[in-house]
Amino acid sequence: MLDHLPVYREKIESLKGPIFVFGASGFIGANLFNDIFKIRKDCYALTHDATKAWRLKLLNVPFENIIHCDILSNNSVQEIFEKYKPQTIFNLAAYGAYSKQSNVNLTYETNVIGTVNILQNCTPEMVYIHAGSSSEYGFNCTAPKETDRVEPNSHYAVSKVSAAYLLEYYAKVANLKTLNLRLYSIYGYWEEPDRLIPKLIENARKKQLPSLVSPDISRDFVFIEDCVEAFIDAALNISTETAGRSYNIATGKKTTMGDLVETTRSTFAISLQPKWGSMSNRKWDLAEWFGDPNSFEQDFGWKARTSLETGLSKYSQWQEEIQYEYKVIPAFENPKLNPVITAIIACYKDAQAIPFMYERLVKTFNDLKVRYEIIFVNDSSPDNQEEVINKICDKDPNVVGISHSRNFGSQSAFLSGMEISTGDCVVLMDGDLQDPPEIIPAFYEKWMEGNDVVYGVRVQREMKPHIHFFYKTFYKVFQGLSYIPIPRDAGDFSMIDRKVVKELVDLPETEQFLRGLRAWVGFKQTGVPYVRPERMFGISTNNWTKNIWWAKKAIFSFSFAPLELMSYAGFALTGLSILGIIWQILAKFFFFRDTPHGVTTIIVLIVFFGGLTILGISFLGEYITKIFEETKKRPKYIRTRIRRGAKSYKTADEIRALVKQLRK
């Protein structure tokens, strides 16, 4: 059932493409997108926050087919219309239908202003199908015809009625092919687990019944497959005569809660008696709520074909196949429970280590039961690194390869990967396997507890004792000098949440010291201790000169202590000089009249103050150098190629377009 092709396959093939599904992260939108995407790949899921789109995550939708769009911004909508040029638009984006969606202003902004922004970018050649609501009828809810008076009884209903009139206006004035489908009680796959039918079926599979409202409350239940087909029929058969109209998507059958429960008990052989009134009636619960679908059947040939018994059985089978309690419910309750983790590996002279890194990472992610993305950044290595990365990309579409035009350094390599990462969090790692992938589960556990940054703390390094001593001493000194609290013995190896990644990527600095910036941006952070092993292959690219350069970069980026030290030294030596002058005068005229006029003292003082002056100028020069580098505003890195699976982006325009798309 999960992979079966819809019975309306031929209809899907006939849709004009490309196809946009706004609100594709919602219940009906996810089903509509999923059925179309099974048949054709020119369908795009549009959502304003992919990190919370738990349905799209569980459906494992490729990143290329997920588009970020804020429909409240006309610029955002205009940009994607100009880029993709859609021909069929399904708008299922809505807010306010559920009691937990209580922001009145957002209800009108999403349902009215958002609709306006989309319609403003449509042309007469396009088809626009809108998800309306049976709540538009409000108090006039007993089998109303589309021509009957609407009597909205909530802000949500008023906003949906407003949208319906907007569609009629744009159809008449701008000649747009628009249609409003007033949906009744749609149920089925991917519905929110806290809703009536999902709760009912979840309990029915265990031969139980959930809490229930009064038995006389009624609905008009439409199975999700029939609903999706209605949208497709509307898009295929809309004409100038029907454009701008609203149609009821219903079965025309009144089903009370008593009828629903008895059908469920019969279908699933439940002997338990229902406890009516164990749940309070909600303000929108009505005794006579059902629709009249005759107009849509006459104009578009659609009719709900799935009986309530069949729909409940299909939905129950789907829950079992998808492992509902273990996958859907946890993902709904906490979208982070089904995350994508991006590992970013900065590689330089690591050709031998990369295959081992890949295998260990994949094993780690599979053990964690999470989806992954692995980005290898080839920082212009002189060995055959790029060839090794290409082979891995060929066999795994979740692997990304980035090539730089020259060696920009590990910090730039990390940022290059962070900019195009698509995961809910990223893990920064060196390519020499000194950052063990097996520590990632400990990072993940801390991240799941709500920490935004989880960094590795090197409690021990597998290296010579004197080198280990110098590293420990540096971190201790650096921690004392820095003007922000920087964790001791914490390197780049860390897991960073998506929102922190965005802040780091957006920082304008050219000279970046990530472990310092990671502390500077704040958020909730914690450490995980680990033993840092020796490099598995080859020799380290770090030496004493490079280590001193790293130390200078850290101190001068996150400490004003050198300047403060020179200020204090200046004050102290000035004071000593004044005291020396006074002493010289007193000694000459009062205490030691035979005080010699020595040359040695003068030479020592000149050398001392000269050395101090040069040291102060050198400190000042370091800061001026940083200012000079920042004023140039040169890019932090230059990419020559990005490889995603088997697809390669080589030209500057291709790379820029991809980066722009992924940064949203």
Side-chain angles (χ1 to χ4, degrees), residues 8-80:
Y8 32 83
R9 173 174 184 168
E10 291 183 1
K11 294 181 180 180
I12 292 174
E13 290 173 343
S14 300
L15 289 171
K16 292 195 298 182
I19 302 164
F20 273 6
V21 180
F22 285 92
S25 59
F27 159 44
I28 302 173
N31 280 279
L32 177 60
F33 170 80
N34 188 41
D35 279 358
I36 297 174
F37 190 68
K38 286 177 181 177
I39 309 301
R40 49 196 295 178
K41 302 309 176 188
D42 62 341
C43 183
Y44 298 92
L46 286 91
T47 178
H48 74 285
D49 189 354
T51 62
K52 296 179 181 177
W54 58 273
R55 295 179 178 91
L56 298 181
K57 290 180 181 180
L58 290 176
L59 286 168
N60 205 23
V61 179
F63 88 96
E64 294 94 342
N65 291 83
I66 298 178
I67 301 174
H68 169 85
C69 180
D70 179 6
I71 62 172
L72 302 186
S73 166
N74 185 57
N75 288 337
S76 179
V77 177
Q78 183 178 357
E79 186 177 345
I80 61 165

Side-chain angles (χ1 to χ4, degrees), residues 391-404:
K391 288 180 180 178
I392 297 175
C393 288
D394 286 335
K395 69 177 183 180
D396 191 340
N398 297 312
V399 176
V400 179
I402 300 175
S403 298
H404 284 173

Side-chain angles (χ1 to χ4, degrees), residues 236-353:
L236 288 175
N237 300 313
I238 189 172
S239 64
T240 54
E241 290 75 21
T242 57
R245 294 183 185 176
S246 293
Y247 288 94
N248 297 332
I249 304 302
T251 63
K253 298 177 182 177
K254 172 186 172 181
T255 303
T256 65
M257 291 299 106
D259 297 334
L260 173 64
V261 171
E262 287 308 307
T263 300
T264 303
R265 291 180 65 210
S266 172
T267 303
F268 297 95
I270 300 172
S271 59
L272 189 70
Q273 292 295 320
K275 294 182 180 179
W276 297 109
S278 54
M279 176 180 167
S280 300
N281 288 2
R282 293 152 301 181
K283 60 183 179 181
W284 60 84
D285 285 329
L286 301 167
E288 299 290 331
W289 189 3
F290 59 99
D292 179 357
N294 288 326
S295 291
F296 195 65
E297 182 179 354
Q298 292 171 7
D299 291 348
F300 290 85
W302 175 90
K303 188 174 184 178
R305 65 174 95 191
T306 308
S307 67
L308 184 59
E309 296 88 344
T310 302
L312 295 176
S313 297
K314 281 186 172 184
Y315 185 42
S316 174
Q317 183 183 349
W318 177 85
Q319 282 195 0
E320 291 176 359
E321 289 182 6
I322 203 169
Q323 298 179 294
Y324 186 74
E325 288 81 1
Y326 300 102
K327 290 185 178 180
V328 176
I329 292 178
F332 166 72
E333 292 175 346
N334 183 359
K336 276 190 173 182
L337 288 180
N338 186 45
V340 177
I341 300 179
T342 298
I344 301 172
I345 301 96
C347 305
Y348 186 73
K349 296 183 178 179
D350 294 319
Q352 290 178 286

Side-chain angles (χ1 to χ4, degrees), residues 358-619:
Y358 168 74
E359 290 174 6
R360 288 167 63 178
L361 279 171
V362 171
K363 182 180 184 304
T364 298
F365 292 136
N366 288 340
D367 290 343
L368 283 173
K369 295 180 173 62
V370 297
R371 294 183 296 148
Y372 66 86
E373 176 184 56
I374 301 174
I375 301 177
F376 289 104
V377 184
N378 174 25
D379 202 25
S380 193
S381 180
D383 57 14
N384 65 330
Q385 242 179 212
E386 186 162 331
E387 181 182 337
V388 173
I389 294 171
N390 286 342
K391 288 180 180 178
I392 297 175
C393 288
D394 286 335
K395 69 177 183 180
D396 191 340
N398 297 312
V399 176
V400 179
I402 300 175
S403 298
H404 284 173
S405 61
R406 68 168 178 83
N407 182 246
F408 288 92
S410 63
Q411 306 300 282
S412 293
F414 286 135
L415 284 165
S416 179
M418 289 162 70
E419 188 178 32
I420 68 166
S421 64
T422 61
D424 298 295
C425 61
V426 304
V427 180
L428 305 183
M429 309 175 72
D430 287 331
D432 54 12
L433 289 171
Q434 287 188 286
D435 296 330
E438 292 73 22
I439 305 298
I440 293 177
F443 286 177
Y444 180 70
E445 182 180 350
K446 294 291 185 182
W447 180 66
M448 291 297 297
E449 291 174 2
N451 293 287
D452 299 309
V453 176
V454 185
Y455 50 81
V457 180
R458 301 159 176 172
V459 294
Q460 180 63 46
R461 298 169 182 262
E462 294 181 357
M463 57 175 55
K464 295 176 181 178
H466 69 281
I467 300 177
H468 178 69
F469 168 77
F470 283 121
Y471 273 108
K472 297 283 285 188
T473 303
F474 163 72
Y475 278 107
K476 187 173 182 179
V477 171
F478 180 43
Q479 188 180 48
L481 294 178
S482 174
Y483 56 77
I484 56 170
I486 294 182
R488 190 181 300 182
D489 296 315
D492 295 318
F493 187 29
S494 55
M495 178 176 283
I496 307 175
D497 190 82
R498 177 92 238 151
K499 59 177 174 284
V500 184
V501 170
K502 186 178 186 306
E503 296 299 331
L504 290 171
V505 170
D506 288 343
L507 289 174
E509 298 175 44
T510 302
E511 279 283 316
Q512 300 211 346
F513 184 65
L514 276 178
R515 62 197 76 172
L517 291 173
R518 188 180 63 202
W520 181 86
V521 295
F523 297 94
K524 188 177 180 182
Q525 306 198 9
T526 191
V528 170
Y530 77 104
V531 175
R532 184 172 170 84
E534 286 190 284
R535 186 183 176 99
M536 181 177 286
F537 298 100
I539 59 173
S540 175
T541 54
N542 281 343
N543 50 43
W544 282 108
T545 302
K546 196 165 185 178
N547 285 333
I548 292 171
W549 178 84
W550 272 108
K552 284 169 56 182
K553 182 174 183 176
I555 291 171
F556 288 109
S557 293
F558 290 94
S559 176
F560 299 123
L563 290 178
E564 292 169 356
L565 178 63
M566 294 311 301
S567 297
Y568 297 144
F571 282 120
L573 290 171
T574 300
L576 286 175
S577 299
I578 293 171
L579 290 176
I581 292 169
I582 295 171
W583 169 253
Q584 189 75 9
I585 293 171
L586 292 175
K588 177 68 176 177
F589 294 102
F590 297 101
F591 303 116
F592 307 103
R593 295 180 182 274
D594 297 327
T595 301
H597 301 276
V599 178
T600 305
T601 304
I602 296 172
I603 293 173
V604 170
L605 289 174
I606 290 173
V607 171
F608 176 71
F609 283 108
L612 194 64
T613 302
I614 293 172
L615 182 62
I617 292 172
S618 69
F619 285 169

Side-chain angles (χ1 to χ4, degrees), residues 102-267:
S102 56
N103 187 326
V104 175
N105 288 336
L106 189 57
T107 297
Y108 288 101
E109 288 173 355
T110 303
N111 302 340
V112 181
I113 303 301
T115 301
V116 170
N117 287 336
I118 297 173
L119 291 172
Q120 282 288 93
N121 289 279
C122 289
T123 62
E125 295 75 28
M126 300 176 183
V127 172
Y128 176 94
I129 310 299
H130 189 86
S133 171
S134 59
S135 64
E136 295 174 39
Y137 294 112
F139 298 108
N140 182 23
C141 59
T142 305
K145 296 183 180 297
E146 290 84 349
T147 54
D148 290 349
R149 174 180 169 80
V150 291
E151 300 178 15
N153 57 357
S154 67
H155 284 293
Y156 174 71
V158 172
S159 70
K160 298 302 281 186
V161 169
S162 302
Y165 282 124
L166 275 172
L167 267 62
E168 185 177 352
Y169 168 79
Y170 274 91
K172 291 180 178 179
V173 175
N175 296 318
L176 297 186
K177 296 175 184 175
T178 66
L179 212 64
N180 183 47
L181 303 185
R182 287 175 176 157
L183 309 178
Y184 277 75
S185 296
I186 314 300
Y187 71 97
Y189 325 132
W190 301 110
E191 190 173 1
E192 285 83 354
D194 59 355
R195 304 288 288 170
L196 171 62
I197 299 292
K199 280 285 185 186
L200 182 64
I201 299 303
E202 181 189 353
N203 281 271
R205 289 167 48 227
K206 304 171 186 175
K207 306 300 180 183
Q208 298 174 355
L209 293 172
S211 299
L212 298 164
V213 295
S214 301
D216 57 343
I217 298 299
S218 72
R219 291 280 191 279
D220 189 331
F221 292 104
V222 181
F223 190 54
I224 185 62
E225 290 179 352
D226 295 332
C227 176
V228 169
E229 188 171 18
F231 274 92
I232 296 169
D233 284 342
L236 288 175
N237 300 313
I238 189 172
S239 64
T240 54
E241 290 75 21
T242 57
R245 294 183 185 176
S246 293
Y247 288 94
N248 297 332
I249 304 302
T251 63
K253 298 177 182 177
K254 172 186 172 181
T255 303
T256 65
M257 291 299 106
D259 297 334
L260 173 64
V261 171
E262 287 308 307
T263 300
T264 303
R265 291 180 65 210
S266 172
T267 303

